[in-house]
Amino acid sequence: MLTGHIIKAISGFYYVENNQKIYQCKARGKFRKDDQKPLVGDLCDFTIENTNEGYIRKLYPRKNYLVRPPICNIDQALLVFSAKEPDMNTLLLNRFLAIIEHHQIEPIICITKIDLLDNDDIYQIMKPYETAGYRIYYISSLTKQGVDHIKPIFKDKVTVFTGQSGVGKSSLLNALDIHLHIETNEISKALGRGKHTTRHVELLEMYGGYVADTPGFSSLDMTMEPVELAHSYHDFRELSHSCKFRECLHDSEPHCAVKQAVEDGQISKERYEHYLIFLEETKKLKEKKYG
Protein backbone atom coordinates (compact mmCIF):
# COMPACT_ATOMS: atom_id res chain seq x y z
CA MET A 1 0.00 0.00 0.00
CA LEU A 2 1.31 3.43 -0.97
CA THR A 3 0.29 6.89 0.22
CA GLY A 4 -0.07 9.70 -2.28
CA HIS A 5 -1.63 13.02 -3.17
CA ILE A 6 -4.38 13.31 -5.81
CA ILE A 7 -3.23 16.06 -8.16
CA LYS A 8 -5.72 15.67 -11.04
CA ALA A 9 -9.15 14.15 -11.71
CA ILE A 10 -10.62 13.58 -15.19
CA SER A 11 -13.54 11.36 -16.22
CA GLY A 12 -13.38 8.98 -13.27
CA PHE A 13 -9.59 8.68 -13.31
CA TYR A 14 -7.47 10.05 -10.47
CA TYR A 15 -3.82 10.90 -10.92
CA VAL A 16 -1.94 10.25 -7.68
CA GLU A 17 1.58 11.50 -7.00
CA ASN A 18 3.98 9.46 -4.88
CA ASN A 19 7.73 10.19 -4.75
CA GLN A 20 7.50 12.39 -7.86
CA LYS A 21 5.87 9.62 -9.88
CA ILE A 22 2.26 9.82 -11.14
CA TYR A 23 -0.08 6.82 -11.02
CA GLN A 24 -3.43 6.65 -12.84
CA CYS A 25 -5.97 5.24 -10.41
CA LYS A 26 -9.64 4.43 -10.14
CA ALA A 27 -11.68 4.59 -6.96
CA ARG A 28 -13.01 1.36 -5.49
CA GLY A 29 -16.80 0.91 -5.41
CA LYS A 30 -16.84 1.16 -1.62
CA PHE A 31 -16.43 4.93 -1.90
CA ARG A 32 -19.71 5.21 -3.82
CA LYS A 33 -21.34 2.91 -1.28
CA ASP A 34 -20.11 5.13 1.58
CA ASP A 35 -21.18 8.26 -0.37
CA GLN A 36 -17.56 9.37 -0.69
CA LYS A 37 -15.82 10.71 -3.74
CA PRO A 38 -12.08 11.34 -4.05
CA LEU A 39 -11.17 14.96 -4.74
CA VAL A 40 -8.12 16.73 -6.08
CA GLY A 41 -6.08 17.55 -2.98
CA ASP A 42 -6.97 14.34 -1.13
CA LEU A 43 -4.29 12.37 0.67
CA CYS A 44 -4.97 8.70 -0.01
CA ASP A 45 -3.70 5.14 0.26
CA PHE A 46 -3.57 3.24 -3.03
CA THR A 47 -2.33 -0.02 -4.51
CA ILE A 48 -0.63 -0.64 -7.85
CA GLU A 49 -2.12 -3.26 -10.17
CA ASN A 50 0.57 -2.91 -12.82
CA THR A 51 3.46 -0.54 -13.51
CA ASN A 52 1.61 2.79 -13.21
CA GLU A 53 -2.09 2.01 -12.70
CA GLY A 54 -3.92 1.24 -9.50
CA TYR A 55 -6.86 1.71 -7.15
CA ILE A 56 -7.51 4.20 -4.37
CA ARG A 57 -8.22 2.27 -1.16
CA LYS A 58 -8.52 4.90 1.55
CA LEU A 59 -9.07 8.65 1.88
CA TYR A 60 -7.61 10.57 4.81
CA PRO A 61 -9.67 13.20 6.71
CA ARG A 62 -9.86 16.60 5.00
CA LYS A 63 -9.24 19.94 6.68
CA ASN A 64 -11.59 21.66 4.22
CA TYR A 65 -13.18 21.20 0.81
CA LEU A 66 -15.05 23.08 -1.87
CA VAL A 67 -17.94 21.62 -3.86
CA ARG A 68 -17.51 23.81 -6.93
CA PRO A 69 -14.68 23.62 -7.86
CA PRO A 70 -14.25 20.13 -6.36
CA ILE A 71 -10.98 20.38 -4.42
CA CYS A 72 -9.88 19.87 -0.82
CA ASN A 73 -7.11 20.50 1.72
CA ILE A 74 -6.55 24.05 0.51
CA ASP A 75 -4.23 26.37 2.43
CA GLN A 76 -4.87 29.63 0.61
CA ALA A 77 -6.87 31.14 -2.25
CA LEU A 78 -5.45 33.69 -4.65
CA LEU A 79 -8.45 35.85 -5.51
CA VAL A 80 -7.64 37.35 -8.89
CA PHE A 81 -9.36 40.58 -9.90
CA SER A 82 -8.34 43.14 -12.50
CA ALA A 83 -7.77 46.86 -12.22
CA LYS A 84 -9.43 47.34 -15.63
CA GLU A 85 -11.13 45.30 -18.38
CA PRO A 86 -13.19 44.25 -16.45
CA ASP A 87 -13.29 46.93 -13.77
CA MET A 88 -12.85 46.01 -10.13
CA ASN A 89 -16.02 44.49 -8.63
CA THR A 90 -15.88 44.92 -4.83
CA LEU A 91 -19.29 43.29 -4.26
CA LEU A 92 -17.99 40.12 -5.91
CA LEU A 93 -14.68 40.38 -4.03
CA ASN A 94 -16.48 40.62 -0.68
CA ARG A 95 -18.62 37.61 -1.62
CA PHE A 96 -15.50 35.59 -2.44
CA LEU A 97 -13.83 36.66 0.81
CA ALA A 98 -16.82 35.56 2.89
CA ILE A 99 -17.04 32.15 1.21
CA ILE A 100 -13.28 31.51 1.25
CA GLU A 101 -12.79 32.54 4.87
CA HIS A 102 -15.85 30.51 5.92
CA HIS A 103 -13.97 27.43 4.68
CA GLN A 104 -10.90 28.34 6.80
CA ILE A 105 -8.89 29.16 3.71
CA GLU A 106 -6.62 32.21 3.78
CA PRO A 107 -7.51 34.66 1.00
CA ILE A 108 -4.81 36.60 -0.84
CA ILE A 109 -5.95 39.34 -3.20
CA CYS A 110 -4.21 39.76 -6.55
CA ILE A 111 -4.99 42.74 -8.79
CA THR A 112 -3.97 42.14 -12.41
CA LYS A 113 -3.60 44.34 -15.49
CA ILE A 114 -2.01 47.25 -13.64
CA ASP A 115 -0.22 48.11 -16.88
CA LEU A 116 -3.60 49.45 -18.08
CA LEU A 117 -3.90 51.96 -15.21
CA ASP A 118 -3.95 55.69 -15.95
CA ASN A 119 -4.68 56.75 -12.34
CA ASP A 120 -4.36 55.44 -8.78
CA ASP A 121 -8.07 54.71 -8.23
CA ILE A 122 -7.51 50.98 -7.72
CA TYR A 123 -5.12 51.62 -4.82
CA GLN A 124 -7.75 53.83 -3.14
CA ILE A 125 -10.42 51.15 -3.69
CA MET A 126 -8.19 48.53 -2.07
CA LYS A 127 -7.18 50.63 0.96
CA PRO A 128 -10.01 49.27 3.21
CA TYR A 129 -8.80 45.72 2.47
CA GLU A 130 -5.24 46.63 3.41
CA THR A 131 -6.62 48.17 6.64
CA ALA A 132 -8.51 44.91 7.29
CA GLY A 133 -5.23 42.99 7.06
CA TYR A 134 -5.61 41.28 3.68
CA ARG A 135 -2.46 40.64 1.67
CA ILE A 136 -2.71 42.38 -1.71
CA TYR A 137 -0.43 42.05 -4.73
CA TYR A 138 -0.51 44.25 -7.83
CA ILE A 139 0.54 42.41 -10.99
CA SER A 140 0.95 42.81 -14.73
CA SER A 141 1.20 39.48 -16.53
CA LEU A 142 2.12 41.40 -19.70
CA THR A 143 5.05 43.40 -18.34
CA LYS A 144 5.82 40.94 -15.48
CA GLN A 145 5.59 43.81 -12.97
CA GLY A 146 5.07 42.39 -9.47
CA VAL A 147 5.30 38.75 -10.61
CA ASP A 148 8.53 38.06 -8.69
CA HIS A 149 6.97 39.47 -5.50
CA ILE A 150 4.20 36.87 -5.55
CA LYS A 151 6.35 33.77 -6.14
CA PRO A 152 7.36 33.16 -2.48
CA ILE A 153 3.74 32.81 -1.29
CA PHE A 154 3.39 29.35 -2.89
CA LYS A 155 6.10 27.56 -0.87
CA ASP A 156 4.74 24.62 1.17
CA LYS A 157 1.14 25.63 0.39
CA VAL A 158 -1.76 24.35 -1.71
CA THR A 159 -3.13 27.45 -3.43
CA VAL A 160 -6.35 27.81 -5.40
CA PHE A 161 -6.52 30.39 -8.17
CA THR A 162 -10.00 31.84 -8.58
CA GLY A 163 -11.77 35.17 -8.92
CA GLN A 164 -13.60 37.38 -11.36
CA SER A 165 -14.07 36.04 -14.88
CA GLY A 166 -11.89 37.51 -17.61
CA VAL A 167 -9.22 38.95 -15.33
CA GLY A 168 -6.33 36.87 -16.65
CA LYS A 169 -5.95 33.97 -14.19
CA SER A 170 -4.42 31.70 -16.83
CA SER A 171 -2.22 34.55 -18.10
CA LEU A 172 -0.96 35.05 -14.57
CA LEU A 173 -0.15 31.34 -14.20
CA ASN A 174 1.69 31.45 -17.51
CA ALA A 175 3.61 34.55 -16.37
CA LEU A 176 4.60 32.72 -13.19
CA ASP A 177 5.77 29.64 -15.10
CA ILE A 178 6.47 29.96 -18.83
CA HIS A 179 6.42 26.16 -19.20
CA LEU A 180 2.71 25.83 -18.37
CA HIS A 181 1.24 27.15 -21.66
CA ILE A 182 -2.28 27.25 -20.21
CA GLU A 183 -4.89 28.12 -22.83
CA THR A 184 -6.17 31.71 -22.63
CA ASN A 185 -8.89 33.63 -24.45
CA GLU A 186 -9.52 37.30 -25.01
CA ILE A 187 -12.38 38.91 -23.12
CA SER A 188 -15.66 38.65 -24.93
CA LYS A 189 -16.36 42.29 -25.78
CA ALA A 190 -20.04 41.58 -26.32
CA LEU A 191 -20.53 39.97 -22.91
CA GLY A 192 -18.03 42.11 -21.03
CA ARG A 193 -16.59 39.03 -19.36
CA GLY A 194 -14.17 36.22 -20.06
CA LYS A 195 -14.83 32.81 -21.53
CA HIS A 196 -14.00 29.84 -19.32
CA THR A 197 -11.01 28.04 -20.80
CA THR A 198 -10.02 25.74 -17.91
CA ARG A 199 -11.93 22.46 -18.03
CA HIS A 200 -10.72 20.45 -15.06
CA VAL A 201 -9.12 20.90 -11.65
CA GLU A 202 -5.42 20.12 -11.49
CA LEU A 203 -2.66 20.77 -8.97
CA LEU A 204 0.49 22.10 -10.58
CA GLU A 205 3.86 22.09 -8.85
CA MET A 206 5.14 25.63 -8.49
CA TYR A 207 7.80 27.29 -6.33
CA GLY A 208 7.88 24.60 -3.65
CA GLY A 209 4.11 24.17 -3.41
CA TYR A 210 1.05 23.34 -5.49
CA VAL A 211 -1.35 25.65 -7.27
CA ALA A 212 -4.77 24.74 -8.66
CA ASP A 213 -5.98 26.29 -11.88
CA THR A 214 -9.73 25.81 -11.47
CA PRO A 215 -12.70 26.22 -13.83
CA GLY A 216 -13.99 28.88 -11.44
CA PHE A 217 -16.81 28.95 -8.94
CA SER A 218 -20.00 27.93 -10.72
CA SER A 219 -21.93 28.80 -7.58
CA LEU A 220 -21.35 31.72 -5.24
CA ASP A 221 -24.48 31.25 -3.15
CA MET A 222 -24.24 32.10 0.53
CA THR A 223 -25.17 28.61 1.72
CA MET A 224 -23.88 29.24 5.26
CA GLU A 225 -25.99 30.08 8.29
CA PRO A 226 -26.40 33.82 9.12
CA VAL A 227 -24.25 33.46 12.26
CA GLU A 228 -21.55 31.71 10.20
CA LEU A 229 -21.52 34.65 7.80
CA ALA A 230 -21.23 37.03 10.77
CA HIS A 231 -18.00 35.24 11.74
CA SER A 232 -16.66 34.63 8.23
CA TYR A 233 -14.56 37.79 7.72
CA HIS A 234 -11.56 37.52 10.03
CA ASP A 235 -11.80 41.13 11.25
CA PHE A 236 -15.56 40.79 11.93
CA ARG A 237 -14.85 37.56 13.85
CA GLU A 238 -12.18 39.21 16.01
CA LEU A 239 -14.42 42.19 16.78
CA SER A 240 -17.42 39.95 17.57
CA HIS A 241 -15.77 38.94 20.87
CA SER A 242 -16.54 42.49 22.03
CA CYS A 243 -20.18 42.41 20.92
CA LYS A 244 -22.78 42.33 23.70
CA PHE A 245 -24.51 39.27 22.23
CA ARG A 246 -22.61 36.05 21.61
CA GLU A 247 -24.31 35.33 18.26
CA CYS A 248 -24.49 38.96 17.16
CA LEU A 249 -25.32 39.31 13.45
CA HIS A 250 -23.99 42.90 13.40
CA ASP A 251 -27.32 44.15 12.09
CA SER A 252 -29.93 45.54 14.52
CA GLU A 253 -28.33 44.41 17.79
CA PRO A 254 -27.23 47.06 20.29
CA HIS A 255 -23.62 47.38 21.51
CA CYS A 256 -22.18 45.75 18.37
CA ALA A 257 -18.42 46.10 17.99
CA VAL A 258 -18.58 45.67 14.20
CA LYS A 259 -21.13 48.48 13.76
CA GLN A 260 -19.00 50.65 16.04
CA ALA A 261 -15.93 49.87 13.89
CA VAL A 262 -17.88 51.04 10.81
CA GLU A 263 -18.77 54.29 12.59
CA ASP A 264 -15.14 54.77 13.61
CA GLY A 265 -13.90 54.18 10.04
CA GLN A 266 -12.06 50.98 11.00
CA ILE A 267 -14.30 48.99 8.63
CA SER A 268 -15.40 50.62 5.38
CA LYS A 269 -19.07 51.44 4.98
CA GLU A 270 -19.13 49.70 1.60
CA ARG A 271 -17.78 46.43 3.00
CA TYR A 272 -20.40 46.55 5.76
CA GLU A 273 -23.23 47.32 3.31
CA HIS A 274 -22.16 44.36 1.18
CA TYR A 275 -22.16 42.21 4.32
CA LEU A 276 -25.77 43.25 5.02
CA ILE A 277 -26.74 42.20 1.47
CA PHE A 278 -25.19 38.78 2.07
CA LEU A 279 -26.81 38.53 5.51
CA GLU A 280 -30.26 39.07 3.99
CA GLU A 281 -29.42 36.37 1.43
CA THR A 282 -28.48 33.85 4.13
CA LYS A 283 -31.66 34.63 6.08
CA LYS A 284 -33.84 34.03 3.00
CA LEU A 285 -32.04 30.77 2.22
CA LYS A 286 -32.52 29.65 5.83
CA GLU A 287 -36.26 30.46 5.67
CA LYS A 288 -36.55 28.56 2.40
CA LYS A 289 -34.68 25.57 3.84
CA TYR A 290 -36.58 25.33 7.13
CA GLY A 291 -39.85 26.90 6.09
Side-chain angles (χ1 to χ4, degrees):
M1 192 91 74
L2 297 172
T3 300
H5 194 202
I6 300 176
I7 62 167
K8 182 167 64 172
I10 302 177
S11 303
F13 288 97
Y14 302 93
Y15 297 82
V16 183
E17 183 180 42
N18 169 277
N19 288 333
Q20 297 187 319
K21 186 173 180 181
I22 309 297
Y23 299 89
Q24 179 179 288
C25 296
K26 282 193 168 184
R28 280 297 190 191
K30 69 167 192 155
F31 292 111
R32 287 192 297 274
K33 186 179 177 182
D34 297 339
D35 199 25
Q36 274 189 308
K37 183 179 181 181
L39 295 177
V40 169
D42 264 324
L43 189 66
C44 66
D45 286 343
F46 67 103
T47 53
I48 304 303
E49 302 295 317
N50 53 49
T51 310
N52 59 358
E53 294 183 346
Y55 285 91
I56 295 171
R57 303 286 181 174
K58 174 186 174 182
L59 297 176
Y60 285 83
R62 300 163 179 161
K63 67 178 181 181
N64 56 40
Y65 69 94
L66 298 175
V67 177
R68 292 184 295 270
I71 188 170
C72 65
N73 296 326
I74 308 148
D75 296 307
Q76 55 192 19
L78 197 68
L79 304 181
V80 188
F81 283 71
S82 59
K84 292 185 75 173
E85 297 182 14
D87 290 339
M88 182 67 200
N89 184 334
T90 54
L91 180 65
L92 185 60
L93 172 60
N94 288 322
R95 183 177 286 270
F96 268 113
L97 289 171
I99 293 170
I100 289 296
E101 293 197 78
H102 171 62
H103 286 91
Q104 287 81 53
I105 299 168
E106 182 187 358
I108 300 170
I109 301 169
C110 180
I111 307 299
T112 61
K113 304 186 184 180
I114 61 168
D115 54 288
L116 300 179
L117 289 179
D118 51 17
N119 57 52
D120 64 352
D121 285 355
I122 189 64
Y123 301 104
Q124 297 303 315
I125 291 169
M126 298 311 297
K127 253 188 181 175
Y129 300 91
E130 291 178 7
T131 301
Y134 292 105
R135 282 193 280 168
I136 305 172
Y137 292 86
Y138 298 91
I139 302 289
S140 169
S141 300
L142 184 65
T143 67
K144 305 295 190 292
Q145 184 179 344
V147 171
D148 284 341
H149 293 154
I150 208 169
K151 290 177 181 178
I153 74 169
F154 302 112
K155 186 172 175 58
D156 300 323
K157 303 286 186 182
V158 173
T159 307
V160 168
F161 271 61
T162 191
Q164 190 176 3
S165 183
V167 298
K169 292 187 288 291
S170 294
S171 295
L172 175 56
L173 278 166
N174 286 332
L176 284 163
D177 189 338
I178 60 172
H179 303 294
L180 289 177
H181 303 302
I182 294 170
E183 180 188 356
T184 60
N185 278 337
E186 292 293 319
I187 289 179
S188 167
K189 299 292 184 182
L191 296 176
R193 57 182 171 83
K195 299 176 181 177
H196 289 298
T197 56
T198 314
R199 294 179 180 85
H200 64 272
V201 180
E202 179 176 0
L203 290 178
L204 309 165
E205 255 191 288
M206 191 178 287
Y207 302 111
Y210 288 95
V211 300
D213 185 25
T214 73
F217 284 66
S218 56
S219 174
L220 284 170
D221 292 336
M222 290 291 178
T223 55
M224 64 194 86
E225 293 287 314
V227 71
E228 290 175 326
L229 174 66
H231 296 156
S232 60
Y233 299 121
H234 66 275
D235 50 339
F236 283 34
R237 183 166 58 251
E238 289 162 12
L239 286 166
S240 69
H241 298 302
S242 301
C243 291
K244 181 178 180 180
F245 297 100
R246 187 177 177 184
E247 295 196 345
C248 182
L249 297 180
H250 320 311
D251 184 8
S252 57
E253 300 91 341
H255 307 293
C256 170
V258 170
K259 288 195 293 182
Q260 187 62 51
V262 175
E263 283 186 33
D264 295 343
Q266 186 181 345
I267 292 173
S268 79
K269 188 177 179 182
E270 183 189 61
R271 277 189 72 212
Y272 178 66
E273 287 173 348
H274 289 170
Y275 162 77
L276 292 178
I277 292 171
F278 305 148
L279 182 63
E280 189 62 28
E281 189 177 324
T282 60
K283 287 178 178 178
K284 287 180 179 176
L285 284 171
K286 186 175 181 179
E287 286 175 12
K288 188 175 180 181
K289 183 177 180 181
Y290 299 108

PDB file of all heavy atoms in Angstrom, residues 2 27 56 64 66 82 102 122 175 198 200 207 233 236 272:
ATOM      1  N   LEU A   2       0.577   2.174  -0.881  1.00  0.00           N
ATOM      2  CA  LEU A   2       1.313   3.430  -0.974  1.00  0.00           C
ATOM      3  C   LEU A   2       0.413   4.590  -0.545  1.00  0.00           C
ATOM      4  O   LEU A   2      -0.811   4.488  -0.607  1.00  0.00           O
ATOM      5  CB  LEU A   2       1.793   3.663  -2.410  1.00  0.00           C
ATOM      6  CG  LEU A   2       2.775   2.654  -2.995  1.00  0.00           C
ATOM      7  CD1 LEU A   2       2.995   2.928  -4.482  1.00  0.00           C
ATOM      8  CD2 LEU A   2       4.101   2.692  -2.251  1.00  0.00           C
ATOM      9  N   ALA A  27     -11.212   4.723  -8.332  1.00  0.00           N
ATOM     10  CA  ALA A  27     -11.685   4.587  -6.957  1.00  0.00           C
ATOM     11  C   ALA A  27     -12.476   3.296  -6.822  1.00  0.00           C
ATOM     12  O   ALA A  27     -13.273   2.947  -7.694  1.00  0.00           O
ATOM     13  CB  ALA A  27     -12.553   5.781  -6.582  1.00  0.00           C
ATOM     14  N   ILE A  56      -7.499   3.463  -5.634  1.00  0.00           N
ATOM     15  CA  ILE A  56      -7.514   4.196  -4.374  1.00  0.00           C
ATOM     16  C   ILE A  56      -8.271   3.361  -3.349  1.00  0.00           C
ATOM     17  O   ILE A  56      -9.399   2.925  -3.595  1.00  0.00           O
ATOM     18  CB  ILE A  56      -8.166   5.588  -4.558  1.00  0.00           C
ATOM     19  CG1 ILE A  56      -7.299   6.452  -5.486  1.00  0.00           C
ATOM     20  CG2 ILE A  56      -8.361   6.284  -3.211  1.00  0.00           C
ATOM     21  CD1 ILE A  56      -7.947   7.754  -5.892  1.00  0.00           C
ATOM     22  N   ASN A  64     -10.531  20.852   4.831  1.00  0.00           N
ATOM     23  CA  ASN A  64     -11.591  21.660   4.218  1.00  0.00           C
ATOM     24  C   ASN A  64     -11.830  21.124   2.814  1.00  0.00           C
ATOM     25  O   ASN A  64     -11.052  20.311   2.293  1.00  0.00           O
ATOM     26  CB  ASN A  64     -11.241  23.158   4.179  1.00  0.00           C
ATOM     27  CG  ASN A  64      -9.925  23.446   3.461  1.00  0.00           C
ATOM     28  OD1 ASN A  64      -9.598  22.851   2.445  1.00  0.00           O
ATOM     29  ND2 ASN A  64      -9.152  24.379   4.003  1.00  0.00           N
ATOM     30  N   LEU A  66     -14.099  22.283  -1.101  1.00  0.00           N
ATOM     31  CA  LEU A  66     -15.046  23.077  -1.871  1.00  0.00           C
ATOM     32  C   LEU A  66     -15.823  22.137  -2.782  1.00  0.00           C
ATOM     33  O   LEU A  66     -15.280  21.148  -3.277  1.00  0.00           O
ATOM     34  CB  LEU A  66     -14.319  24.129  -2.711  1.00  0.00           C
ATOM     35  CG  LEU A  66     -13.510  25.179  -1.943  1.00  0.00           C
ATOM     36  CD1 LEU A  66     -12.740  26.067  -2.922  1.00  0.00           C
ATOM     37  CD2 LEU A  66     -14.402  26.033  -1.054  1.00  0.00           C
ATOM     38  N   SER A  82      -9.127  42.241 -11.652  1.00  0.00           N
ATOM     39  CA  SER A  82      -8.342  43.137 -12.502  1.00  0.00           C
ATOM     40  C   SER A  82      -8.622  44.596 -12.177  1.00  0.00           C
ATOM     41  O   SER A  82      -9.718  44.956 -11.740  1.00  0.00           O
ATOM     42  CB  SER A  82      -8.634  42.872 -13.986  1.00  0.00           C
ATOM     43  OG  SER A  82      -9.998  43.048 -14.278  1.00  0.00           O
ATOM     44  N   HIS A 102     -14.943  31.456   5.256  1.00  0.00           N
ATOM     45  CA  HIS A 102     -15.852  30.515   5.923  1.00  0.00           C
ATOM     46  C   HIS A 102     -15.291  29.095   5.884  1.00  0.00           C
ATOM     47  O   HIS A 102     -15.512  28.304   6.810  1.00  0.00           O
ATOM     48  CB  HIS A 102     -17.220  30.570   5.250  1.00  0.00           C
ATOM     49  CG  HIS A 102     -18.168  29.503   5.718  1.00  0.00           C
ATOM     50  ND1 HIS A 102     -18.598  29.405   7.032  1.00  0.00           N
ATOM     51  CD2 HIS A 102     -18.759  28.468   5.049  1.00  0.00           C
ATOM     52  CE1 HIS A 102     -19.413  28.372   7.150  1.00  0.00           C
ATOM     53  NE2 HIS A 102     -19.517  27.792   5.975  1.00  0.00           N
ATOM     54  N   ILE A 122      -7.458  52.354  -8.226  1.00  0.00           N
ATOM     55  CA  ILE A 122      -7.513  50.984  -7.718  1.00  0.00           C
ATOM     56  C   ILE A 122      -6.857  50.889  -6.335  1.00  0.00           C
ATOM     57  O   ILE A 122      -7.319  50.160  -5.461  1.00  0.00           O
ATOM     58  CB  ILE A 122      -6.872  49.973  -8.702  1.00  0.00           C
ATOM     59  CG1 ILE A 122      -7.150  48.532  -8.254  1.00  0.00           C
ATOM     60  CG2 ILE A 122      -5.377  50.207  -8.860  1.00  0.00           C
ATOM     61  CD1 ILE A 122      -8.592  48.142  -8.265  1.00  0.00           C
ATOM     62  N   ALA A 175       2.553  33.590 -16.694  1.00  0.00           N
ATOM     63  CA  ALA A 175       3.609  34.550 -16.368  1.00  0.00           C
ATOM     64  C   ALA A 175       4.482  34.028 -15.227  1.00  0.00           C
ATOM     65  O   ALA A 175       5.689  34.262 -15.199  1.00  0.00           O
ATOM     66  CB  ALA A 175       2.999  35.894 -15.998  1.00  0.00           C
ATOM     67  N   THR A 198     -10.541  26.830 -18.715  1.00  0.00           N
ATOM     68  CA  THR A 198     -10.017  25.743 -17.912  1.00  0.00           C
ATOM     69  C   THR A 198     -11.122  24.717 -17.679  1.00  0.00           C
ATOM     70  O   THR A 198     -12.179  25.073 -17.209  1.00  0.00           O
ATOM     71  CB  THR A 198      -9.505  26.270 -16.561  1.00  0.00           C
ATOM     72  OG1 THR A 198      -8.714  27.426 -16.803  1.00  0.00           O
ATOM     73  CG2 THR A 198      -8.680  25.233 -15.841  1.00  0.00           C
ATOM     74  N   HIS A 200     -10.793  21.393 -16.163  1.00  0.00           N
ATOM     75  CA  HIS A 200     -10.715  20.452 -15.064  1.00  0.00           C
ATOM     76  C   HIS A 200      -9.841  21.050 -13.969  1.00  0.00           C
ATOM     77  O   HIS A 200      -9.127  22.017 -14.181  1.00  0.00           O
ATOM     78  CB  HIS A 200     -10.144  19.106 -15.530  1.00  0.00           C
ATOM     79  CG  HIS A 200      -8.720  19.202 -16.006  1.00  0.00           C
ATOM     80  ND1 HIS A 200      -8.391  19.506 -17.306  1.00  0.00           N
ATOM     81  CD2 HIS A 200      -7.549  19.062 -15.340  1.00  0.00           C
ATOM     82  CE1 HIS A 200      -7.077  19.534 -17.434  1.00  0.00           C
ATOM     83  NE2 HIS A 200      -6.538  19.269 -16.251  1.00  0.00           N
ATOM     84  N   TYR A 207       7.052  26.572  -7.360  1.00  0.00           N
ATOM     85  CA  TYR A 207       7.798  27.293  -6.326  1.00  0.00           C
ATOM     86  C   TYR A 207       7.681  26.644  -4.949  1.00  0.00           C
ATOM     87  O   TYR A 207       7.437  27.298  -3.944  1.00  0.00           O
ATOM     88  CB  TYR A 207       7.367  28.762  -6.279  1.00  0.00           C
ATOM     89  CG  TYR A 207       7.562  29.448  -7.615  1.00  0.00           C
ATOM     90  CD1 TYR A 207       6.473  29.837  -8.377  1.00  0.00           C
ATOM     91  CD2 TYR A 207       8.843  29.640  -8.125  1.00  0.00           C
ATOM     92  CE1 TYR A 207       6.655  30.427  -9.625  1.00  0.00           C
ATOM     93  CE2 TYR A 207       9.036  30.233  -9.374  1.00  0.00           C
ATOM     94  CZ  TYR A 207       7.944  30.618 -10.111  1.00  0.00           C
ATOM     95  OH  TYR A 207       8.134  31.199 -11.358  1.00  0.00           O
ATOM     96  N   TYR A 233     -15.684  36.864   7.902  1.00  0.00           N
ATOM     97  CA  TYR A 233     -14.557  37.794   7.724  1.00  0.00           C
ATOM     98  C   TYR A 233     -13.716  37.794   8.995  1.00  0.00           C
ATOM     99  O   TYR A 233     -14.243  37.942  10.099  1.00  0.00           O
ATOM    100  CB  TYR A 233     -15.063  39.209   7.443  1.00  0.00           C
ATOM    101  CG  TYR A 233     -15.887  39.347   6.186  1.00  0.00           C
ATOM    102  CD1 TYR A 233     -17.194  39.810   6.246  1.00  0.00           C
ATOM    103  CD2 TYR A 233     -15.354  39.031   4.945  1.00  0.00           C
ATOM    104  CE1 TYR A 233     -17.959  39.957   5.099  1.00  0.00           C
ATOM    105  CE2 TYR A 233     -16.107  39.167   3.790  1.00  0.00           C
ATOM    106  CZ  TYR A 233     -17.414  39.625   3.867  1.00  0.00           C
ATOM    107  OH  TYR A 233     -18.164  39.760   2.733  1.00  0.00           O
ATOM    108  N   PHE A 236     -14.247  40.827  11.280  1.00  0.00           N
ATOM    109  CA  PHE A 236     -15.557  40.788  11.934  1.00  0.00           C
ATOM    110  C   PHE A 236     -15.526  39.778  13.095  1.00  0.00           C
ATOM    111  O   PHE A 236     -16.066  40.035  14.174  1.00  0.00           O
ATOM    112  CB  PHE A 236     -16.651  40.376  10.941  1.00  0.00           C
ATOM    113  CG  PHE A 236     -17.095  41.457   9.987  1.00  0.00           C
ATOM    114  CD1 PHE A 236     -16.205  42.400   9.504  1.00  0.00           C
ATOM    115  CD2 PHE A 236     -18.405  41.521   9.558  1.00  0.00           C
ATOM    116  CE1 PHE A 236     -16.613  43.389   8.617  1.00  0.00           C
ATOM    117  CE2 PHE A 236     -18.837  42.499   8.678  1.00  0.00           C
ATOM    118  CZ  PHE A 236     -17.930  43.436   8.198  1.00  0.00           C
ATOM    119  N   TYR A 272     -19.309  46.866   4.841  1.00  0.00           N
ATOM    120  CA  TYR A 272     -20.397  46.546   5.763  1.00  0.00           C
ATOM    121  C   TYR A 272     -21.734  46.455   5.029  1.00  0.00           C
ATOM    122  O   TYR A 272     -22.529  45.542   5.291  1.00  0.00           O
ATOM    123  CB  TYR A 272     -20.470  47.601   6.868  1.00  0.00           C
ATOM    124  CG  TYR A 272     -21.606  47.368   7.838  1.00  0.00           C
ATOM    125  CD1 TYR A 272     -21.620  46.252   8.676  1.00  0.00           C
ATOM    126  CD2 TYR A 272     -22.681  48.257   7.896  1.00  0.00           C
ATOM    127  CE1 TYR A 272     -22.673  46.031   9.562  1.00  0.00           C
ATOM    128  CE2 TYR A 272     -23.730  48.045   8.781  1.00  0.00           C
ATOM    129  CZ  TYR A 272     -23.721  46.924   9.607  1.00  0.00           C
ATOM    130  OH  TYR A 272     -24.761  46.698  10.477  1.00  0.00           O
TER     131      TYR A 272
END
